[in-house]
Amino acid sequence: QQPVQSPQAVILREGEDAVINCSSSKALYSVHWYRQKHGEAPVFLMILLKGGEQKGHEKISASFNEKKQQSSLYLTASQLSYSGTYFCGIPGSNTGKLIFGQGTTLQVKP
Amino acid sequence: GAVVSQHPSWVICKSGTSVKIECRSLDFQATTMFWYRQFPKQSLMLMATSNEGSKATYEQGVEKDKFLINHASLTLSTLTVTSAHPEDSSFYICSARDRTTMILDEQFFGPGTRLTVL
């Protein structure tokens, strides 16, 4: 039931764009995105609750395709601070627990 | 707002000893807290769901008697690793749901506790 993320790793230059995908084998009603810096806890980025919903904060945005059971995270004009591992999380049950994907490591170079 | 703390930040212990990790929601009440374990360069693996005033729900494969969870109040959950062994060395992270915004399923993570068992 663990969602599958792709790619596993991305290396970018500052200012370049990246897309991280998250796919599930089961129906989704929400997708969560987190970023984790090395040695730190994950930091919440955003939740998408509806099929077709798109959200964004500054130059990081995400979309949720309910029918395709997938979500994509878009990082535009990447900055050095975007480096880290990105996880998508999907609800595991109605208890509110999240099942996280294996993570996508993003490295932004000057 | 929505701050979760963990104590200690790191701990080194001898094999066979028990270690207690605290998870606190500082500015909100959390009826539900979650405990995750993360090995280097791997994803967060949910260990158990901790509910205030009731027994924790453990994920398949997680030993209940080894990882004792207590959720004594709306702001505190503890994880005790009993008879720790080197293979229990890991990064343990808790998260909490704000009872007033539970509908959003948003989880707030603590800073994590790095456990090293010698």
Side-chain angles (χ1 to χ4, degrees):
Chain A
Q1 290 189 350
Q2 182 182 30
V4 177
Q5 289 183 232
S6 64
Q8 290 189 353
V10 183
I11 299 176
L12 300 173
R13 294 286 180 187
E14 266 189 297
E16 293 181 338
D17 302 339
V19 180
I20 299 172
N21 299 303
C22 174
S23 298
S24 172
S25 60
K26 65 171 191 175
L28 297 175
Y29 64 86
S30 69
V31 178
H32 304 227
W33 285 97
Y34 289 83
R35 177 173 62 208
Q36 185 179 30
K37 300 278 187 179
H38 180 68
E40 300 178 7
V43 172
F44 171 76
L45 293 177
M46 63 188 80
I47 297 176
L48 296 106
L49 297 174
K50 302 176 185 177
E53 183 174 29
Q54 296 185 36
K55 277 188 177 180
H57 177 67
E58 296 182 346
K59 294 182 179 178
I60 298 177
S61 61
S63 64
F64 178 23
N65 189 321
E66 194 175 29
K67 290 183 179 179
K68 291 185 178 180
Q69 299 174 183
Q70 68 180 32
S71 176
S72 296
L73 187 72
Y74 306 93
L75 300 103
T76 307
S78 58
Q79 305 169 16
L80 294 175
S81 61
Y82 287 1
S83 294
T85 301
Y86 290 79
F87 293 98
C88 67
I90 62 174
S93 68
N94 58 5
T95 61
K97 69 180 184 182
L98 291 177
I99 307 299
F100 288 93
Q102 79 276 26
T104 296
T105 300
L106 177 72
Q107 184 179 3
V108 181
K109 295 185 174 182
Chain B
V3 178
V4 176
S5 70
Q6 277 186 245
H7 178 80
S9 299
W10 57 271
V11 57
I12 302 173
C13 68
K14 292 183 178 180
S15 185
T17 61
S18 295
V19 174
K20 179 184 283 188
I21 302 170
E22 294 186 347
C23 176
R24 293 181 185 271
S25 55
L26 298 184
D27 51 2
F28 66 98
Q29 293 182 327
T31 52
T32 306
M33 291 184 172
F34 303 90
W35 286 96
Y36 295 86
R37 180 167 54 182
Q38 186 178 36
F39 293 106
K41 298 186 179 181
Q42 294 188 23
S43 186
L44 297 94
M45 299 305 296
L46 181 66
M47 299 175 66
T49 302
S50 171
N51 296 297
E52 185 266 339
S54 64
K55 292 183 179 180
T57 302
Y58 290 82
E59 294 299 304
Q60 193 172 9
V62 178
E63 298 177 58
K64 301 178 183 180
D65 295 331
K66 182 168 185 62
F67 300 100
L68 301 178
I69 292 173
N70 183 276
H71 196 148
S73 74
L74 287 172
T75 60
L76 173 65
S77 176
T78 60
L79 168 68
T80 301
V81 183
T82 61
S83 187
H85 291 285
E87 57 265 29
D88 298 324
S89 298
S90 187
F91 192 46
Y92 291 86
I93 311 173
C94 72
S95 69
R97 297 174 70 197
D98 186 337
R99 65 184 302 191
T100 61
T101 60
M102 282 174 59
I103 192 171
L104 296 178
D105 282 343
E106 184 176 350
Q107 294 188 22
F108 304 97
F109 283 84
T113 297
R114 188 161 301 283
L115 170 64
T116 302
V117 185
L118 303 176

